[in-house]
């Protein structure tokens, strides 16, 4: 799902792995955002607004084979009527740092008041 690093995050990881800069880890907990228009490596998507929508905490397990996935069910309750096309992962700093983005395998159209859920293991971030 969120299988693309943002350009700033990719640069931070490259610099750290090449010894040209220290890596500053994101401030946890990580938050999952839903978007109605997908972003890119350099620009955020259009985040859902309205209803009771709020970014939800997402906890990832330890990476294995170049990827990691969520370890608990994630529920967005009280959604507005909208079509969700992708996800973005942010940290919890004062100015949230967007780290990952990606399109859903299939868009999800919801009615006002509906919930959107992601099962354990459904949100995957990968470097491979």
């Amino acid at each position: 799902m969120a299988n693309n690093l943002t350009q700033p995050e990719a640069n931070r990881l490259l610099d750290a792995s090449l010894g040209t800069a220290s890596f500053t880890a994101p401030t946890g907990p990580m938050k999952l955002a839903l978007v109605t228009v997908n972003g890119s490596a350099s620009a955020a998507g259009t985040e859902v607004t309205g209803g009771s929508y709020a970014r939800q905490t997402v906890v990832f397990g330890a990476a294995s084979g170049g990827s990691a996935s969520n370890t608990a069910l994630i529920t967005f309750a009280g959604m507005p009527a909208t079509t969700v096309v992708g996800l973005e992962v942010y940290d919890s700093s004062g100015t949230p740092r967007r780290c990952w983005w990606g399109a859903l395998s299939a868009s999800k159209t919801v009615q006002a008041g509906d919930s959107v859920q992601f099962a354990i293991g459904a949100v995957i971030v990968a470097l491979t």
Side-chain angles (χ1 to χ4, degrees):
M1 303 256 178
N3 58 355
N4 301 293
L5 268 174
T6 63
Q7 194 169 58
E9 198 68 15
N11 289 340
R12 282 189 276 274
L13 289 170
L14 280 169
D15 287 343
S17 71
L18 297 171
T20 59
S22 297
F23 182 72
T24 301
T27 303
M30 301 306 282
K31 297 288 186 172
L32 191 65
L34 304 179
V35 295
T36 58
V37 175
N38 281 310
S40 67
S42 59
T46 303
E47 190 167 357
V48 169
T49 59
S52 297
Y53 170 80
R55 292 178 183 173
Q56 297 298 306
T57 297
V58 57
V59 177
F60 292 96
S64 176
S67 68
S69 63
N70 61 306
T71 60
L73 177 71
I74 304 164
T75 302
F76 292 85
M79 291 287 293
T82 193
T83 299
V84 177
V85 300
L87 307 173
E88 295 187 339
V89 178
Y90 287 82
D91 80 350
S92 292
S93 61
T95 302
R97 173 170 144 186
R98 188 173 74 105
C99 299
W100 296 88
W101 63 279
L104 295 177
S105 55
S107 298
K108 174 73 174 164
T109 300
V110 295
Q111 302 304 314
D114 283 355
S115 293
V116 173
Q117 291 189 323
F118 296 93
I120 294 170
V123 179
I124 301 166
V125 295
L127 289 177
T128 57

